[in-house]
Amino acid sequence: VARVLVVDDDPDLRDLTAQWLRVDGHEVLIAGSAVEALAAVQRFGVPQLAVLDVDMPGIDGVQLLQMLRRREPGLPVLFLTVLWSAADVNRMQAAGGVYARKPCTAEGLRAAVRRLLPDTLPSGAGG
Amino acid sequence: MSVPRSLSRTAVFAVLYVLATFAGRLTVMDGTNLSMVWPAAGVAVVWFCAQRQASARWADVVALAVITLVVNLATGATAAMSLVFVLANLVQVGVLLYLFRRWRPALWGTGGSDGLSSPRDLWGLLAAAFCATAAGAAIGPTGMWLLSGHYSWPSTAVWLARNTASILLISAAGLRFGHAVTVRRRRHGGPGGWPRQALSALAATPPWRLAEYAAVAVCSLAAYLIGFAYADGLPLSFPLIALTVWAAIRLSTSFVVLHDLAVGAIAVLFTLHRDGPFAAIDSHPLRALIVQLFVALVAVVGLALALGRDERAALAAELAADRAALAAQREEAARRADLMTAIIDSMADGLSVVDAHGQVTLRNPAAVGLLGGRISSAVAAAQHYGLLTLDGRPLPDSELPYARVMAGHRDGMDILIRNPGVPDGRIVNVRGTTLPDACGDRSAVLLYHDVTAERRHRDELAGFAGVVAHDLLNPLSAVEGWTQAAREILLEDPAHGAAEAADSLRRVSRAAVRMRHLINDLLAYTTARDAAIVTEPVSLADVIADITAARTDAAVAANAPVPRFTVGDLPTVHADLVLIRQLLDNLIGNAIKYIAPGVVPEVTVGSAPAGTGMAAITITDNGIGIPAGQHAAIFDNFHRAHRDAGYAGTGLGLAICKRIVERHAGTISATDNPGGGSSFTVTLPSAAGSAAAVTAEAPAGPPLTISGPSR
């Protein structure tokens, strides 16, 4: 069980990701923008994993990652995005994030999270 | 040639030969038994020339021998002497044929098909005739000496002179006649119709020319009669040559040959009859010798002049034909050059040719235009033309199109041209090849193709694909994910999960609506961009009334604040109704949508004249306005000024508006209101103006219909 920060400007997608993670027993912080995300971190502390949308108005996901890493250099980050061009993928990888394409299934997300957080075992449904 | 035909020709020539021999024998004088004139020598030459390819030539030899023998015997020669003459005549004709064939092999009668037509033919004939008669004389007079023990030098001289003159005159006539007959036969197949053709040729000859022929004939007859019959022994032979010169210079060569034959016959006949300028000479052989020399001289002068003139005329005709052909070629070349120039000048692509020294030797107007009107006669550095790489760096010298082509690169390259003549920049694809030029160097031929629109279109398309994928994948993720979530809830707890499942499905339908909006806007944009526009008078008042009514209804239905509309006088414009409705609906929709929460939208629509033939329509709102610096960018594809503030949209609405306005040759702009909110001003061709102001980019046709809400 881990504390996961989910940032997406699309509320439906944000809620979906959060619901999947909660089903797996994670504690989820949600934010609709980078600014909200930073405020949440300030308030609730640094998460163990960040799941970020990249293409957001204002501060985008990659920039947000850099800000979060300044506070927590080893923070594992999963980019959940529809961007696919080589330039965007390179930028995400250069920033040190793992990248998963939308649309993403619950199983896909679960596998990615497991890869990034090998120590935490999901507690199963209902958490 | 068949044997019977050959033999029949032999018979004809044999008869002629008999007559000629008899005529010759009639001129035997004194006891020398030597003929003064020997036409048979000439006849024999023509005979053997005509029978050159005959299948039974032995018959000719036999006939000649027999006739010579018999006639000589019959006219008083001894058998031995007759045999000598047979031998002399055969040797004479044999030598002549041999030499003449060697020297003039292309003539009719020697193996070729040409007629006797040049002075060289004449000299060849004369030389061959002299050598042949010399051979004959070596046998004839020598044989007579052996038989009689008396050698007569005068006889030898007479033999030489009479036979040479006879061969010259008669065979010249015979060779021309034979050639003429052959040509006729080749052209017309036979001698049939000859009189008719001769008559028509006569009719085609100018009358003054016919008069000249008659004058020469009459004058010659008169002069020769006077000179030989009535001159009373006066040596008046020299003026007669003038007549031959006259005929030879002015009249046809065949006529000259006949003229020579006629005057020669007259001279010989009168002299033998002891009349005329040579009659005073007592010695028979000497007299015969002199008159034959006279006749030969007349013949040589006449033929030399006439044939020389013919040869010059033929050369001149050849030269004129060459010159005409050359002129025609030059004209053709000039015409081709003009055509090539016209083609090159009218090409839409630019073309330039640069020589090995970097000098521009050709550059068409399109090339000058593509380079922004900046020209220089030599290849200039990249800065001169403002040549840049596609990412905007100055093009290094080694990467100049000219240098690349000279270095052997055949593939095209895209370059960016930006200079005061092309301030917005232009992307040009340049490809080229090298060609060897006249100096042995290589020239570069460069072809410039403006690909600005293509590249822009390509980039736009790529951008479109990216944005569309992005904007569709996000709602699609929601659709997939929430559908799965709803399914799981219903499977796990069908009894109590209904509310939760309904929430999931609400999210699904919200995502579907977003996708539908985007797809509708894409279709609308494509229509605005590419569909044919059909212009007609469109009453803006009616269109606005429809739109405001619909918007009011929608607000009431959605339980939202009902917008307040203030509509001034609106003109009738000349435009495409469907696109104008789309344009105004998008703008009014934006005015209502981008409003602060809780504020009642107030939209004012007014108009003002805007220059010749145009009307300006202004839509003013009390909305949240446009972020600073984005007043132009909001019209770009997928630009979303208020995304941060949570206003949904595809970013295509104003791009559609801009495209519609541009296709009506109008403008669109946005400004801030002094009292808050924004104003959008659109210009459109007024119906009072001309329809010509409208750019119809696609052929006229029914417009595509646009359905569904925008933005």
Side-chain angles (χ1 to χ4, degrees):
Chain A
V1 178
R3 192 148 51 142
V4 182
L5 172 66
V6 175
V7 187
D8 198 320
D9 62 327
D10 185 325
D12 291 337
L13 290 178
R14 186 173 64 217
D15 293 350
L16 186 67
T17 311
Q19 182 165 327
W20 282 339
L21 291 169
R22 284 195 189 108
V23 165
D24 286 353
H26 298 292
E27 185 187 333
V28 180
L29 287 176
I30 57 170
S33 70
V35 176
E36 279 179 34
L38 291 170
V41 168
Q42 187 74 35
R43 197 166 151 200
F44 299 105
V46 177
Q48 284 149 295
L49 170 70
V51 178
L52 308 181
D53 182 23
V54 177
D55 184 42
M56 293 187 293
I59 301 167
D60 75 3
V62 174
Q63 290 166 320
L64 178 59
L65 161 74
Q66 285 157 350
M67 291 173 174
L68 292 171
R69 284 266 170 90
R70 234 171 275 153
R71 284 185 69 130
E72 181 64 39
L75 177 69
V77 168
L78 173 67
F79 286 123
L80 206 53
T81 178
V82 293
L83 299 178
W84 78 99
S85 74
D88 288 325
V89 172
N90 286 342
R91 195 162 152 259
M92 292 179 242
Q93 284 170 349
V98 173
Y99 145 83
R101 283 277 303 276
K102 287 185 197 167
C104 178
T105 59
E107 290 71 33
L109 179 71
R110 208 166 282 146
V113 169
R114 210 176 294 137
R115 225 176 23 253
L116 284 165
L117 297 174
D119 302 339
T120 58
L121 288 172
S123 65
Chain B
M1 194 187 292
S2 65
V3 173
R5 185 168 160 73
S6 168
L7 289 177
S8 63
R9 282 166 63 124
T10 301
V12 170
F13 277 107
V15 169
L16 286 175
Y17 189 72
V18 168
L19 295 176
T21 313
F22 264 113
R25 292 303 293 177
L26 289 177
T27 64
V28 173
M29 295 180 186
D30 309 347
T32 60
N33 203 14
L34 184 72
S35 299
M36 295 292 112
V37 180
W38 197 243
V43 172
V45 169
V46 177
W47 176 2
F48 277 73
C49 280
Q51 290 286 82
R52 212 180 63 78
Q53 288 168 321
S55 43
R57 291 199 74 185
W58 53 268
D60 298 314
V61 177
V62 170
L64 181 76
V66 168
I67 292 166
T68 310
L69 187 69
V70 169
V71 172
N72 275 289
L73 284 173
T75 51
T78 64
M81 209 172 279
S82 300
L83 283 176
V84 168
F85 286 145
V86 168
L87 185 63
N89 274 302
L90 284 175
V91 167
Q92 182 171 287
V93 77
V95 169
L96 183 125
L97 286 179
Y98 173 76
L99 292 178
F100 200 35
R101 190 176 307 163
R102 269 189 79 94
W103 292 336
R104 310 303 304 162
L107 291 183
W108 178 90
T110 64
S113 59
D114 296 351
L116 188 80
S117 57
S118 76
R120 255 167 311 177
D121 294 338
L122 175 65
W123 305 135
L125 179 62
L126 186 61
F130 186 79
C131 293
T133 43
I139 294 168
T142 309
M144 285 164 68
W145 169 54
L146 288 175
L147 292 173
S148 64
H150 166 73
Y151 191 83
S152 163
W153 282 106
S155 301
T156 309
V158 168
W159 181 290
L160 271 175
R162 71 169 203 199
N163 284 14
T164 304
S166 159
I167 290 173
L168 186 65
L169 270 167
I170 294 172
S171 61
L175 288 176
R176 285 189 69 89
F177 181 74
H179 169 250
V181 168
T182 310
V183 169
R184 254 200 72 76
R185 191 172 295 154
R186 203 177 300 146
R187 280 202 199 133
H188 305 286
W194 177 82
R196 188 169 44 78
Q197 282 158 16
L199 274 178
S200 66
L202 202 64
T205 311
W208 57 266
R209 179 65 77 184
L210 292 177
E212 190 169 4
Y213 275 110
V216 169
V218 169
C219 290
S220 300
L221 194 63
Y224 271 81
L225 285 179
I226 292 168
F228 278 87
Y230 303 107
D232 216 9
L234 287 174
L236 286 181
S237 58
F238 60 91
L240 302 175
I241 294 178
L243 289 161
T244 300
V245 172
W246 177 10
I249 289 173
R250 301 275 308 160
L251 303 178
S252 90
T253 306
S254 296
F255 178 83
V256 174
V257 172
L258 291 176
H259 185 264
D260 287 348
L261 265 178
V263 299
I266 292 173
V268 168
L269 287 175
F270 277 97
T271 304
L272 290 177
H273 200 254
R274 303 212 61 158
D275 277 321
F278 313 119
I281 303 166
D282 280 335
S283 159
H284 289 311
L286 192 56
R287 200 169 62 239
L289 188 67
I290 298 282
V291 75
Q292 309 262 8
L293 284 177
F294 172 79
V295 169
L297 181 74
V298 164
V300 168
V301 166
L303 285 172
L305 283 175
L307 293 175
R309 179 207 56 193
D310 286 355
E311 191 177 47
R312 273 195 309 281
L315 281 176
E318 214 169 281
L319 213 65
D322 278 1
R323 198 171 297 163
L326 206 68
Q329 270 173 18
R330 207 171 290 159
E331 198 175 313
E332 172 71 15
R335 226 168 41 74
R336 275 166 180 273
D338 285 352
L339 181 66
M340 284 308 292
T341 307
I343 290 172
I344 289 172
D345 284 355
S346 62
M347 272 166 57
D349 284 353
L351 180 81
S352 68
V353 179
V354 185
D355 70 11
H357 311 292
Q359 292 293 314
V360 177
T361 53
L362 186 152
R363 182 184 276 149
N364 72 354
V368 176
L370 286 175
L371 290 170
R374 298 171 83 79
I375 50 170
S376 89
S377 61
V379 165
Q383 296 95 299
H384 177 80
Y385 297 113
L387 304 185
L388 308 168
T389 59
L390 285 188
D391 44 16
R393 289 177 294 108
L395 213 57
D397 283 354
S398 63
E399 282 296 302
L400 284 176
Y402 160 76
R404 275 173 55 88
V405 167
M406 281 305 203
H409 295 284
R410 291 291 169 85
D411 52 323
M413 64 181 294
D414 284 356
I415 56 172
L416 178 64
I417 300 176
R418 187 180 290 134
N419 60 43
V422 214
D424 292 339
R426 176 179 285 147
I427 301 173
V428 174
N429 181 272
V430 190
R431 61 174 57 241
T433 184
T434 55
L435 291 179
D437 64 16
C439 314
D441 287 330
R442 288 182 315 149
S443 284
V445 180
L446 302 170
L447 196 66
Y448 308 82
H449 181 59
D450 188 347
V451 293
T452 313
E454 269 169 51
R455 297 291 184 266
R456 204 165 277 165
H457 195 72
R458 199 178 65 186
D459 293 349
E460 195 178 66
L461 208 63
F464 242 79
V467 175
V468 168
H470 176 266
D471 286 4
L472 285 177
L473 282 172
N474 265 325
L476 190 65
S477 301
V479 168
E480 275 190 15
W482 287 113
T483 313
Q484 193 189 354
R487 186 168 165 270
E488 282 167 4
I489 291 161
L490 291 174
L491 284 176
E492 279 171 20
D493 188 0
H496 301 95
E500 217 173 324
D503 178 63
S504 297
L505 293 177
R506 189 177 51 77
R507 292 174 190 267
V508 169
S509 83
R510 197 155 63 192
V513 167
R514 272 168 66 197
M515 289 199 279
R516 179 159 56 83
H517 282 180
L518 177 63
I519 289 168
N520 282 338
D521 275 5
L522 282 172
L523 289 177
Y525 182 78
T526 308
T527 304
R529 191 191 139 94
D530 298 323
I533 64 174
V534 180
T535 58
E536 59 187 312
V538 174
S539 161
L540 291 184
D542 292 353
V543 175
I544 291 289
D546 284 354
I547 294 170
T548 53
R551 289 284 172 183
T552 304
D553 293 348
V556 170
N559 203 17
V562 175
R564 280 200 287 274
F565 292 103
T566 311
V567 181
D569 282 343
L570 293 177
T572 299
V573 294
H574 198 82
D576 185 295
L577 175 62
V578 176
L579 292 182
I580 289 306
R581 188 184 291 277
Q582 168 99 49
L583 165 71
L584 295 174
D585 190 56
N586 276 8
L587 290 175
I588 288 174
N590 280 354
I592 295 169
K593 176 176 165 188
Y594 294 100
I595 190 107
V599 177
V600 175
E602 287 177 21
V603 182
T604 308
V605 184
S607 75
T612 13
M614 302 297 278
I617 298 96
T618 303
I619 294 166
T620 308
D621 61 48
N622 61 338
I624 54 175
I626 299 161
Q630 296 196 22
H631 291 76
I634 52 171
F635 297 106
D636 291 348
N637 296 336
F638 303 110
H639 184 90
R640 290 171 60 188
H642 297 294
R643 192 180 159 193
D644 303 12
Y647 289 88
T650 59
L652 277 172
L654 287 174
I656 293 168
C657 292
K658 185 181 184 204
R659 190 64 202 146
I660 291 174
V661 169
E662 280 175 350
R663 292 203 62 194
H664 286 83
T667 58
I668 185 168
S669 59
T671 52
D672 292 333
N673 273 343
S678 342
S679 282
F680 283 82
T681 302
V682 169
T683 63
L684 291 169
S686 65
S690 79
V694 177
T695 53
E697 288 174 21
L704 291 182
T705 53
I706 303 159
S707 61
S710 65
R711 195 136 181 169

